[in-house]
Amino acid sequence: MIIEHKLVIADVKLIANFRRYIFYWKKRFSEQPITEFCSVIRTNSEAPVEQQENFFLLCDVLPEDRVLREELQQERLREILEQQQHERNDTTLQRLCMFCNEEFKGNRSVIFNHMNEEHSFNVGLPDNIVYCNEFLDALQKKMDSLQCLYCEKSFRDTNTLKDHMRKKQHRRINAKNHEYDRFYIINYLELGKSWEEVQSEDDRDLVDSKTEDWSDWEENPISAVCLFCENQEDTTEKLLCHMKDSHQFDLLKIKLNLGLNFYQQVKLVNFIRRQMHQCRCHGCQGKFQSMAELTVHLEKEGHFGTLPERSLWDQPQYYFPTYENDSLLCTLSDSEGDIAEEQQQHDNIPVIGEDLSSLEALKQTSVLNQLLYAQTQRR
């Protein structure tokens, strides 16, 4: 494509499904000129015209390309999570241990736990691994070729290899070998980030810190932004009150009524953020030309507190925030505690038993007896 068609695609390795990506843009290029989508890069600009060349750069700076890449990433994430869940529940695994040839049957965790406990070979938690059989096949292939799994040096026989791995404490895989990336869930979570980048984010600012004195540690105040307007509050409680009073959107009530856990709340918030960003009503899915038109519609139709079918927003793609550093997401609470508290309040209501001293009188006056009698009469 570069040589024949002068088309340069940025960050090809980050595209989750390159085949579908290509088919999509093949169709779009047939509908409109390529210059409508791509930046034009002219080479040899100071040379004579006949020596100049125009290259076309297709990248995620274009909103349409960014949305496509995100959709492909989310679709792959959904497939990976389904595969992981299948392997978690699967009990048909049958394999030999790479180190002692003991046979294991059942769930994948059995053989991983055995290698960890008996041979000190740790590849992480089984639940963080996907495509387990292929992963074990790749490790076994290296062992069969007399190659150390960590430093990847080759040895003349099995005993020398085992001695090397034991003495050098090389009973782990080489984290810098990207051959293993596809076997770890963390590599599928964020578009364009490897597991090393994801893991290093939280600690990046702490590397140079040498003091252990926490006396000057002050928590920065949050600035939570409303789902429907530009209003900001310094506490989540104030923001929730604002949305309830100004927009008739009661997030706490919705959470309790639907029994939403933390992750479902995250998906709901991200769904509404995404719809508002696209000038689309989250309740009826109507599309508008501007945020002002959408706001008028929400107020007129009373759609602020209206939610669509759960299947529309309860999707893996909405694990990803619409905006970076969305403070509202960081302060959501798990509904289990709130539900338990509400249940406890109901449990405190006194229950007064009926007087059992006269059973015959009770049978005649019992509310249950009256209900049963009325139901019999209707039949």
Side-chain angles (χ1 to χ4, degrees):
M1 287 189 290
I2 294 176
I3 297 174
E4 296 295 330
H5 305 287
K6 314 301 181 187
L7 177 63
V8 180
I9 300 176
D11 298 318
V12 172
K13 65 178 182 180
L14 302 181
I15 300 174
N17 188 329
F18 188 68
R19 181 181 177 85
R20 282 192 53 193
Y21 179 88
I22 289 297
F23 278 128
Y24 177 88
W25 283 115
K26 180 181 178 70
K27 180 176 181 296
R28 294 292 283 133
F29 290 161
S30 67
E31 297 170 347
Q32 297 182 45
I34 191 172
T35 51
E36 293 291 320
F37 309 103
C38 298
S39 303
V40 180
I41 303 173
R42 177 169 296 173
T43 62
N44 298 327
S45 57
E46 297 181 357
V49 176
E50 61 273 11
Q51 296 180 13
Q52 297 179 8
E53 286 186 295
N54 287 337
F55 286 84
F56 306 97
L57 176 63
L58 181 62
C59 64
D60 60 3
V61 172
L62 179 71
E64 184 177 353
D65 186 88
R66 178 70 182 180
V67 170
L68 174 61
R69 291 176 185 240
E70 288 179 349
E71 288 177 352
L72 294 176
Q73 168 74 11
Q74 290 156 9
E75 181 179 320
R76 182 174 67 172
L77 176 60
R78 191 181 304 112
E79 293 172 355
I80 291 298
L81 291 175
E82 290 175 357
Q83 175 67 23
Q84 183 197 38
Q85 188 60 42
H86 169 73
E87 293 183 7
R88 280 179 173 175
N89 300 329
D90 183 38
T91 57
T92 61
L93 181 73
Q94 183 173 351
R95 296 192 70 101
L96 296 176
C97 171
M98 296 185 297
F99 303 103
C100 65
N101 290 329
E102 182 177 349
E103 185 176 15
F104 292 89
K105 298 179 181 179
N107 188 268
R108 59 182 184 170
S109 60
V110 177
I111 188 168
F112 282 116
N113 290 337
H114 163 80
M115 291 192 294
N116 182 29
E117 294 168 5
E118 300 298 327
H119 306 292
S120 301
F121 181 73
N122 184 12
V123 293
L125 295 175
D127 281 348
N128 294 336
I129 295 172
V130 69
Y131 300 126
C132 168
N133 268 315
E134 295 179 34
F135 183 36
L136 291 172
D137 287 342
L139 297 177
Q140 187 66 61
K141 183 178 179 181
K142 284 189 177 294
M143 293 288 289
D144 291 344
S145 63
L146 303 178
Q147 193 173 12
C148 174
L149 297 176
Y150 178 69
C151 68
E152 301 185 341
K153 293 181 180 178
S154 297
F155 296 85
R156 63 177 181 273
D157 55 54
T158 303
N159 289 333
T160 307
L161 171 62
K162 288 183 177 180
D163 275 349
H164 161 81
M165 294 179 68
R166 185 180 67 253
K167 292 177 181 179
K168 297 291 186 179
Q169 295 297 310
H170 283 188
R171 295 181 178 181
R172 57 191 186 278
I173 63 173
N174 182 1
K176 296 186 181 299
N177 187 338
H178 296 294
E179 176 186 347
Y180 302 122
D181 287 355
R182 64 184 298 263
F183 302 120
Y184 287 87
I185 285 291
I186 193 172
N187 290 298
Y188 297 93
L189 296 183
E190 278 198 71
L191 180 65
K193 290 185 180 180
S194 67
W195 66 271
E196 291 174 308
E197 292 172 311
V198 173
Q199 283 192 332
S200 65
E201 279 180 345
D202 293 338
D203 299 331
R204 193 172 296 157
D205 296 332
L206 305 178
V207 174
D208 297 330
S209 177
K210 298 180 180 180
T211 178
E212 295 181 1
D213 182 11
W214 287 28
S215 60
D216 59 347
W217 182 31
E218 295 181 1
E219 186 174 355
N220 295 323
I222 68 169
S223 181
V225 183
C226 176
L227 290 173
F228 307 106
C229 67
E230 296 181 356
N231 183 69
Q232 299 184 26
E233 300 290 350
D234 56 2
T235 68
T236 306
E237 290 74 17
K238 291 181 182 179
L239 180 65
L240 294 178
C241 288
H242 161 78
M243 291 193 292
K244 181 179 178 182
D245 296 338
S246 301
H247 307 296
Q248 294 76 53
F249 182 83
D250 192 338
L251 182 58
L252 292 178
K253 184 177 180 180
I254 291 172
K255 177 180 70 172
L256 292 174
N257 289 345
L258 299 182
L260 304 182
N261 60 31
F262 173 77
Y263 295 104
Q264 289 168 328
Q265 292 176 69
V266 167
K267 287 187 279 189
L268 178 59
V269 168
N270 288 335
F271 168 77
I272 295 176
R273 291 265 196 232
R274 178 73 61 83
Q275 300 304 296
M276 295 296 293
H277 179 67
Q278 296 175 346
C279 293
R280 189 185 300 276
C281 174
H282 64 277
C284 67
Q285 299 299 292
K287 188 77 171 67
F288 297 88
Q289 295 298 317
S290 67
M291 186 64 71
E293 289 184 19
L294 172 59
T295 303
V296 170
H297 164 80
L298 290 169
E299 291 176 349
K300 183 179 178 180
E301 302 296 331
H303 281 185
F304 280 113
T306 302
L307 295 183
E309 293 292 329
R310 183 188 288 259
S311 59
L312 193 62
W313 59 264
D314 195 0
Q315 300 184 36
Q317 70 188 71
Y318 296 116
Y319 280 127
F320 301 94
T322 303
Y323 306 109
E324 291 186 7
N325 304 319
D326 189 344
S327 298
L328 179 58
L329 296 176
C330 302
T331 54
L332 296 173
S333 62
D334 200 324
S335 61
E336 293 179 1
D338 299 321
I339 294 174
E341 182 178 348
E342 184 170 298
Q343 184 65 41
Q344 185 177 5
Q345 293 175 358
H346 287 298
D347 291 344
N348 291 332
I349 298 175
V351 179
I352 302 174
E354 294 179 302
D355 185 5
L356 302 179
S357 60
S358 177
L359 293 178
E360 288 301 322
L362 179 61
K363 290 179 181 179
Q364 297 300 322
T365 60
S366 172
V367 175
L368 291 176
N369 186 52
Q370 295 173 17
L371 291 173
L372 290 173
Y373 177 77
Q375 187 177 4
T376 304
Q377 290 295 102
R378 286 197 297 270
R379 290 178 179 174

